[in-house]
């Protein structure tokens, strides 16, 4: 069965650079979520989109923005990168809102040097 | 205090053992409950949803006690492949709130 696709899988950036992470949800899933998982920590919710509209917002820095496109894929844009942004970034998708079962992609490992 | 609390373990058990994990949550308005498993440096994978009536999927049984705000996971006949971190997850509206996870190591 098709799963959530994320690209790139690994990304190395320098401080103050920008990064764009992409997420392609499971076909027919209309809701996308972004999570950040730092080393040794549990995943933290950043932001979600339902039917191309922002649905909920968590601990997402102002330097980050995201959107969901007409084909339901989503992009997380990260600017003025800091060393502390180094983490695994997971995208998840679900059919419907309000935490119907969420399925996670393999993640993008971002390293900021 | 974290919104979802779990014993971090590790739980080291032999193959074939039965092991139980517990979890408590603080937000009584929480709506949905799940167990995920996560292998090292991989994505969380949905193991099962948890309902008040309890639910079972093969060797795995999950229970929810809303009054006590308590969730449990029982694994019977442990396999080596069960070795992973088990994440107790509570959902409020869109977002999932993760516990810190309980590490399980099954040995031969």
């Amino acid at each position: 069965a098709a799963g959530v696709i994320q690209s790139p899988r690994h990304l190395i950036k320098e401080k103050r650079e920008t990064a764009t992470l992409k997420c392609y949800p499971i076909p027919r899933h209309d809701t996308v979520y972004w999570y950040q998982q730092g080393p040794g920590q549990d995943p933290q919710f950043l932001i979600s989109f339902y039917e191309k509209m922002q649905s909920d917002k968590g601990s997402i820095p102002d330097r980050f923005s995201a959107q969901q496109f007409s084909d339901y894929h989503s992009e997380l844009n990260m600017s003025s990168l800091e060393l502390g942004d180094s983490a695994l970034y997971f995208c998840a998708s679900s059919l419907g809102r309000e935490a119907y079962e969420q399925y996670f992609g393999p993640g993008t490992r971002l390293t900021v040097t | 205090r974290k919104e979802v609390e779990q014993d971090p373990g590790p739980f080291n058990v032999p193959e074939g053992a039965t092991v139980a994990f517990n979890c408590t949550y603080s937000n009584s308005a929480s709506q949905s409950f799940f167990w995920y498993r996560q292998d090292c440096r991989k994505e969380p994978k949905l193991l099962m949803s948890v309902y008040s009536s309890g639910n079972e999927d093969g060797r795995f049984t999950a229970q929810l006690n809303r009054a006590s705000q308590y969730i449990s996971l029982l694994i019977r006949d442990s396999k080596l492949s069960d070795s992973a971190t088990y994440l107790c997850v509570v959902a409020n509206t869109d977002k999932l709130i993760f516990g810190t996870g309980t590490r399980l190591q099954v040995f031969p």
Side-chain angles (χ1 to χ4, degrees), chain A residues 49-69:
Chain A
F49 293 87
Y50 169 68
E51 284 291 344
K52 292 149 277 183
M53 300 286 287
Q54 183 181 306
S55 176
D56 200 356
K57 199 170 179 180
S59 49
I60 183 169
D62 292 340
R63 300 177 289 108
F64 294 7
S65 65
Q67 57 182 324
Q68 186 180 31
F69 294 86

Side-chain angles (χ1 to χ4, degrees), chain B residues 26-38:
Chain B
S26 59
N27 187 346
S28 58
S30 300
Q31 300 161 329
S32 306
F33 309 88
F34 309 92
W35 284 99
Y36 279 75
R37 70 170 275 170
Q38 187 172 28

